[in-house]
Amino acid sequence: MLVNLKEMLTDAMRNRYGVGCINAPNTTYLRALIDAAEEVNIPLVIDHAEVHDPLIPLERIAPDLIGCARRAKVPVAVHVDHGESMNFIMRGVNNGFTSVMYDCSKLTFEENVSRVKAFIEMVRPAGISVEAELGEMPTTLNDTHGGSSASTAYTDPDLAHEFVERTGVDALAVTFGTSHGIYEKEPVLDFEHLKRLREATGETPLVMHGSSGVPLPDITKAVAGGISKVNYYSYLAVESSRFAGEVIEADRAEGRPTFYHELVEKVYVHTKAEAKKLYGAFLNGFEYRRARNDE
Ligand SMILES: [Zn+2]
């Protein structure tokens, strides 16, 4: 079922599990991600990032995202990821997306507050949830989000407190050791800093970007420490490609052609299995179905 991000994250926060937020730039990924969520029984956020728009325009993928979300047996939110231009964000809003990340993290604190606050006032009446980011997330080589920042500053807990108070934002992306893209060395998360951020932000769900490449036990620890939305993509995308290469190589070694439709189907099965491992780590031991039935 298609749901609002705020409602989904409120449940995740209350029960200390994390929901994945994963880019779904094609129908193979979309099917793998949602089918895995149904099999594991966990809500999911699927998103379209502004940097993926040249690959597939939002208007082309939106009916697939929203249709699959509506038909899913688990709650699914359809989210604009890293919207920086108002034009892109409004294309998401006008095409039925249920939430938006309005990323003003590169601007000053005051500018970030005023733009996010004004945007929330505009879209909240339409039932759209808003995520913002505070503290510029570093990016690494081959970042699929096309970033270039070398900043290593973590989100300031006092500013995070002020930000959520002044904006009333539905979810806040914070930095405490992750980066976008492919890591050059294994990331080290500052869980003490996460604790301070969690304490400073009251009832606002927190989001961890750059989660792919973080060892799964550390992701679970971050969820236990108060992260409710886990943005994950780069490593999954690389793993699907690695697997496709393995299939093509195995066919070549046996002297048979690789048919595209068969290759895509194998990639779907493999990606779904990988996604299920991720979702298991995000659940942090929580059994989603039982909790829903108990309410
Ligand atoms: Zn991100």
Side-chain angles (χ1 to χ4, degrees):
M1 66 217 77
L2 180 66
V3 301
N4 179 290
L5 181 72
K6 186 187 169 86
E7 169 192 332
M8 180 189 288
L9 294 185
T10 300
D11 189 70
M13 194 171 166
R14 188 189 306 138
N15 293 296
R16 280 286 162 130
Y17 64 92
V19 295
C21 176
I22 309 183
N23 299 123
N26 58 56
T27 48
T28 307
Y29 251 54
L30 180 56
R31 194 156 63 96
L33 297 174
I34 291 188
D35 289 357
E38 288 183 343
E39 288 179 26
V40 171
N41 197 34
I42 183 172
L44 174 70
V45 186
I46 47 174
D47 66 34
H48 186 59
E50 187 160 356
V51 292
H52 290 164
D53 209 51
L55 291 178
I56 180 156
L58 183 143
E59 288 75 9
R60 174 64 190 80
I61 195 83
D64 293 331
L65 296 176
I66 291 159
C68 285
R70 284 215 172 96
R71 288 190 297 275
K73 296 189 189 84
V74 291
V76 177
V78 180
H79 181 69
V80 171
D81 186 32
H82 284 282
E84 293 188 22
S85 74
M86 199 39 73
N87 176 45
F88 179 72
I89 288 169
M90 291 316 293
R91 283 168 56 206
V93 169
N94 292 332
N95 279 278
F97 281 48
T98 53
S99 61
V100 170
M101 178 192 190
Y102 184 26
D103 183 0
C104 300
S105 62
K106 294 190 183 79
L107 306 177
T108 63
F109 178 77
E110 284 301 327
E111 189 71 10
N112 194 346
V113 167
S114 69
R115 288 201 192 193
V116 168
K117 193 165 186 291
F119 181 63
I120 288 171
E121 281 164 11
M122 182 172 71
V123 298
R124 188 164 278 162
I128 290 169
S129 307
V130 177
E131 172 185 341
E133 178 168 323
L134 187 62
E136 203 179 330
M137 160 97 31
T139 62
T140 57
L141 206 60
N142 301 320
D143 172 17
T144 60
H145 289 68
S148 61
S149 162
S151 160
T152 52
Y154 295 163
T155 306
D156 181 287
D158 293 334
L159 288 180
H161 175 79
E162 191 182 335
F163 190 90
V164 299
E165 290 283 311
R166 287 173 62 187
T167 61
V169 75
D170 298 309
L172 183 67
V174 291
T175 60
F176 56 99
T178 57
S179 306
H180 284 125
I182 303 293
Y183 289 96
E184 284 158 38
K185 56 179 196 280
E186 195 169 283
V188 179
L189 305 190
D190 187 338
F191 292 104
E192 272 306 306
H193 195 81
L194 172 60
K195 189 163 180 262
R196 286 194 285 278
L197 289 167
R198 183 60 282 162
E199 285 164 2
T201 48
E203 297 296 307
T204 308
L206 296 181
V207 182
M208 177 166 74
H209 283 245
S211 308
S212 85
V214 175
L216 290 187
D218 279 355
I219 293 183
T220 304
K221 203 172 161 188
V223 167
I227 289 293
S228 305
K229 177 170 172 280
V230 181
N231 278 50
Y232 196 106
Y233 185 62
S234 302
Y235 279 72
L236 187 63
V238 169
E239 172 56 24
S240 299
S241 303
R242 187 204 62 74
F243 177 77
E246 198 180 287
V247 171
I248 293 168
E249 197 45 54
D251 283 344
R252 195 184 352 242
E254 291 180 25
R256 57 169 191 248
T258 302
F259 292 106
Y260 179 68
H261 57 279
E262 289 177 359
L263 175 67
V264 168
E265 200 57 22
K266 285 175 182 168
V267 170
Y268 155 75
V269 170
H270 183 75
T271 304
K272 187 174 80 168
E274 290 295 311
K276 285 171 75 171
K277 282 189 228 163
L278 299 177
Y279 298 162
F282 301 167
L283 273 174
N284 182 30
F286 182 70
E287 286 182 51
Y288 180 72
R289 187 190 306 272
R290 194 181 64 199
R292 298 289 287 194
N293 290 344
D294 283 351
E295 275 175 7

